[in-house]
Amino acid sequence: MRGKFITVSSVLALLFACFLTGTPSAEAQDSSAPSGEEAITPFLLPDAGPFEPKSLGEQNTAAITAWLKGGHADATAEAFTHWDDEGAVPPNCSVCHAGAGFRSFHGLDGSEPGLPEAPIPAGGVVDCETCHNDGLASISELTLPSGVVHPVVGVEAACMTCHQGRAAGVTVENATASKPDDTVDAELRFVNPHYATAAASWLGGYGGAGYHYPGKTYSGRFFHARPVASCVSCHNPHSLEVKVETCATCHDAETPEAIRIRKQSYDGSGNLSVGIRSDIAANAQLLMETLVTYTGEVAGTALVFEPHYPYFFADANGDGVADQVDGSSVNYAAWTPRSLKAAYNWKLVTADPGIYAHNPHYALELLYDSIEDLAGATDSVDFDSLNILR
């Protein structure tokens, strides 16, 4: 599949043919290849085990169609193509970026649980057996990056294995321990919580994903309201789309983004006609602005964010554009413990585009505390005048 673009309709056609005949032979695939082009062998489903295409039956076509439209099946996405040049996914990355790596990590393939012993061949996706393996029911708990051991039931084990992030507040605490808050430290590096951290957001302060400021309390797991009790309460397990009808049970809003949890303004705008998502986005932007001000004033070198690793880059002249050397942005290297804590929380909140539904309270708390801490160390930010709420 790498290097080729395949439409959903063409994949569906091939997949449905597999229901009755099994995986097409190499000869059959070659005969259907466009003239002058090599045959395309798409990654569809495992070629062995209980989830072979020929064993699924026509009754499962709706689920498979939904899966093909979702991000878990998108073999062209960066999440699955990042390692194409190397040809294999490193063991620690394969746990979430290849179905085979996930099964190896949990011992669902007959191996001992733990990281795969060798890299996993590139080209896999989150396939059927990732979430439908019978052994998934035997997983009763997961250890989060914070060290918290969290109980799981059924398919929740699959969701939370890969959406818990790769770092936690304790990671930042350990990196900054005993270091002066406002002194630039060349040993400090940005701590990346990773991506799509929905489970980390959902567990809130209990899961310890964010950096928690001393003396502050944080909302725990967002239990929402019945019947919302798990990931699949709100998301179609195959397409990953939000079940908007579930939201409408309690919320009078046209879209989930328009839902407002309380009749008070958290961003100081006083606008209560928009969803809480707007307040979170505004406070995230305010945190970034405060972070830029702090790094320019206190660290001596301002930072800027760019949407690629390692995300934060130097802006020595303060023009809002990353400094360049040989055409590449200069990595930010003037971290202080205070700026690192705030930047981590900013990235954690913004790494989950659905945090307004997963745990809006926790998001607002992390943003507020980070802004307050930075503002207190600058001369030009009057925190009280911001009128934001926690």
Side-chain angles (χ1 to χ4, degrees):
M1 176 169 281
R2 297 188 293 276
K4 296 287 186 179
F5 178 78
I6 305 176
T7 64
V8 170
S9 60
S10 64
V11 174
L12 281 172
L14 179 58
L15 181 57
F16 293 161
C18 292
F19 289 158
L20 300 178
T21 63
T23 303
S25 65
E27 292 79 5
Q29 293 171 22
D30 286 342
S31 65
S32 62
S35 177
E37 296 185 16
E38 61 179 300
I40 299 172
T41 304
F43 181 93
L44 295 176
L45 299 167
D47 57 9
F51 299 103
E52 293 181 82
K54 63 184 179 181
S55 70
L56 291 173
E58 294 185 13
Q59 71 273 16
N60 291 302
T61 57
I64 295 171
T65 300
W67 172 76
L68 283 166
K69 295 178 180 178
H72 285 167
D74 186 2
T76 66
E78 172 68 14
F80 304 118
T81 62
H82 184 78
W83 302 271
D84 280 2
D85 290 343
E86 292 80 10
V89 187
N92 61 327
C93 300
S94 72
V95 175
C96 298
H97 295 276
F102 176 89
R103 291 186 284 279
S104 178
F105 177 72
H106 285 298
L108 303 179
D109 60 356
S111 65
E112 287 295 316
L115 288 177
E117 294 183 357
I120 300 297
V125 294
V126 179
D127 53 33
C128 297
E129 200 174 358
T130 301
C131 300
H132 289 281
N133 188 292
D134 290 340
L136 207 64
S138 66
I139 303 172
S140 60
E141 61 185 27
L142 297 174
T143 300
L144 308 176
S146 63
V148 170
V149 178
H150 177 66
V152 292
V153 178
V155 74
E156 189 177 54
C159 304
M160 300 196 76
T161 292
C162 295
H163 292 282
Q164 61 179 268
R166 295 287 303 277
V170 67
T171 315
V172 179
E173 289 179 19
N174 292 337
T176 59
S178 302
K179 296 179 182 291
D181 281 341
D182 301 308
T183 300
V184 173
D185 192 315
E187 294 182 355
L188 293 179
R189 296 290 183 272
F190 175 62
V191 177
N192 184 25
H194 214 56
Y195 318 99
T197 52
S201 302
W202 185 36
L203 296 179
Y206 151 72
Y211 174 78
H212 296 170
Y213 289 89
K216 300 283 190 175
T217 58
Y218 294 88
S219 298
R221 176 175 173 175
F222 189 31
F223 283 98
H224 217 103
R226 294 182 179 178
V228 178
S230 67
C231 306
V232 295
S233 296
C234 293
H235 292 273
N236 180 297
H238 296 107
S239 71
L240 311 181
E241 293 178 338
V242 175
K243 301 175 183 177
V244 179
E245 64 278 6
T246 299
C247 305
T249 302
C250 298
H251 298 285
D252 183 16
E254 292 185 1
T255 65
E257 293 84 356
I259 294 172
R260 185 161 199 87
I261 56 174
R262 289 178 183 168
K263 293 183 178 180
Q264 60 184 14
S265 172
Y266 288 87
D267 63 1
S269 68
N271 186 1
L272 303 181
S273 66
V274 294
I276 198 63
R277 176 176 180 265
S278 177
D279 294 49
I280 293 172
N283 284 1
Q285 177 61 33
L286 179 58
L287 173 53
M288 177 55 69
E289 293 170 359
T290 309
L291 186 57
V292 170
T293 298
Y294 169 88
T295 53
E297 287 186 12
V298 179
T301 301
L303 54 69
V304 293
F305 171 81
E306 293 184 353
H308 58 87
Y309 191 83
Y311 307 110
F312 292 97
F313 300 89
D315 177 20
N317 62 6
D319 65 353
V321 179
D323 301 334
Q324 301 288 310
V325 172
D326 297 330
S328 298
S329 298
V330 177
N331 293 352
Y332 192 73
W335 293 106
T336 68
R338 196 184 303 274
S339 63
L340 182 62
K341 295 167 185 175
Y344 173 83
N345 277 349
W346 179 88
K347 184 64 164 58
L348 177 68
V349 170
T350 58
D352 177 11
I355 199 168
Y356 64 91
H358 298 142
N359 204 327
H361 311 289
Y362 190 53
L364 290 165
E365 291 161 357
L366 292 177
L367 294 172
Y368 181 100
D369 293 347
S370 300
I371 295 169
E372 181 183 42
D373 188 59
L374 288 173
T378 67
D379 296 324
S380 59
V381 179
D382 179 4
F383 180 75
D384 291 337
S385 69
L386 299 176
N387 295 320
I388 62 176
L389 296 179
R390 191 175 190 273

